[in-house]
């Protein structure tokens, strides 16, 4: 009798455990295609990638790429406008389904989010006025340099120029304002941002050295293999038909690398 009671108790506990176990949720791709809505985050204020046009509408290669993705998903696009520093946290906290925001694929970021194959590239560089003698990281010792927080630029300068005075700004738009107003004369950023800075400077900034060519990926939450596969196939298809390159070239005035999707 005692054994039978224990068996009944064990059986009841097993049922309760099964009932309490988390129910597997549908993948994001299924949800998107079911609700016909997709939230795609972009980092606004990044010249050429995501900015506001003269009609006060978001545009740029990342914004237009996001629109293309939403169209092919058959979904209404909700554009989630964020800063550079919020890119990875936005995906981690589920505030967006995808992130198309000039985010470089790095091993450190892969620990937090998943990436597609590359959809674009950018070069990051150190720039300064002609009279500033900077040829490499060592020459930044004792000098004040501006970077955008939570970017590869920030990581590289922090790692390789330990004697520099690093001034961090929350987004590219704030960094641009600082460079135009003379708060910083040396910057680590991408060439498109330098071009924007030079529109408001009399002493133009010039490239001192290229730090790295970055492969940019679309970021998505971990554990979404169907969504990642769909996006990888989407990039391959639109790279092959030339539409991804055409969208990028429209804003950046250069072609994507021929080997982009195999990197």
């Amino acid at each position: 009798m005692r054994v039978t009671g224990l068996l009944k108790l064990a059986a009841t506990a097993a049922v309760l455990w099964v009932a309490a176990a988390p129910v597997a949720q549908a993948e994001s791709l299924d949800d998107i295609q079911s609700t016909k809505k997709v939230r795609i985050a972009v980092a606004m204020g990044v010249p050429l990638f995501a900015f506001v046009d003269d009609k006060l509408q978001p545009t740029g290669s990342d914004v237009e790429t996001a629109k293309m993705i939403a169209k092919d998903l058959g979904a209404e696009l909700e554009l989630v406008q964020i800063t550079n520093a919020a890119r990875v946290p936005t995906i981690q906290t589920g505030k967006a389904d995808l992130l198309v925001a000039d985010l470089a694929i790095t091993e450190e970021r892969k620990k937090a989010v998943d990436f597609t194959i590359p959809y674009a590239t950018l070069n990051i560089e150190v720039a300064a006025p002609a009279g500033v003698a900077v040829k490499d990281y060592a020459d930044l010792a004792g000098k004040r340099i501006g970077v955008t927080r939570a970017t590869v630029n920030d990581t590289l300068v922090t790692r390789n120029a330990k004697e520099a005075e690093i001034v961090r700004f929350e987004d590219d738009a704030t960094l641009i304002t600082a460079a135009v107003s003379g708060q910083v004369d040396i910057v680590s950023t991408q060439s498109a941002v330098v071009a924007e800075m030079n529109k408001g400077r009399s002493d133009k900034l010039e490239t001192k050295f290229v730090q790295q060519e970055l492969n940019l990926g679309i970021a998505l939450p971990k554990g979404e293999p169907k969504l990642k596969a769909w996006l990888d196939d989407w990039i391959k298809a639109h790279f092959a038909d030339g539409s991804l390159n055409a969208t990028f070239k429209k804003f950046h005035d250069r072609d994507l690398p021929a080997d982009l999707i195999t990197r």
Side-chain angles (χ1 to χ4, degrees), residues 90-258:
T90 294
I91 292 299
Q92 286 181 302
T93 57
K95 293 179 180 177
D97 302 305
L98 306 173
L99 179 108
V100 183
D102 64 291
L103 188 66
I105 302 168
T106 67
E107 293 305 314
E108 187 64 26
R109 286 172 176 159
K110 284 180 180 179
K111 297 174 183 177
V113 297
D114 279 342
F115 283 98
T116 62
I117 60 175
Y119 74 98
T121 64
L122 64 80
N123 285 345
I124 57 175
E125 62 187 53
V126 169
V132 178
V134 172
K135 294 183 296 183
D136 53 32
Y137 288 112
D139 292 333
L140 294 172
K143 293 182 172 64
R144 181 180 171 89
I145 180 169
V147 301
T148 300
R149 189 185 304 278
T151 59
V152 175
N153 311 64
D154 187 357
T155 300
L156 288 174
V157 172
T158 301
R159 179 190 304 152
N160 297 303
K162 298 184 184 300
E163 302 303 317
E165 180 188 350
I166 304 171
V167 185
R168 295 177 176 84
F169 298 90
E170 291 305 313
D171 51 41
D172 285 337
T174 312
L175 177 62
I176 290 167
T177 300
V180 170
S181 65
Q183 293 180 54
V184 290
D185 288 322
I186 306 175
V187 296
S188 170
T189 187
Q190 55 164 302
S191 55
V193 174
V194 173
E196 192 68 21
M197 292 170 175
N198 282 337
K199 291 179 181 179
R201 289 183 63 106
S202 57
D203 56 339
K204 306 300 184 186
L205 304 181
E206 62 180 30
T207 302
K208 296 300 180 177
F209 64 94
V210 174
Q211 296 168 267
Q212 190 175 333
E213 181 184 42
L214 302 178
N215 296 317
L216 309 180
I218 298 171
L220 65 155
K222 284 190 166 294
E224 297 286 354
K226 286 176 64 176
L227 181 58
K228 175 174 163 45
W230 188 94
L231 290 166
D232 283 342
D233 288 343
W234 184 90
I235 292 170
K236 292 174 185 175
H238 286 277
F239 186 78
D241 70 19
S243 57
L244 193 62
N245 186 70
T247 299
F248 185 81
K249 190 172 184 178
K250 173 183 175 182
F251 293 94
H252 299 265
D253 197 30
R254 67 177 174 89
D255 291 310
L256 292 169

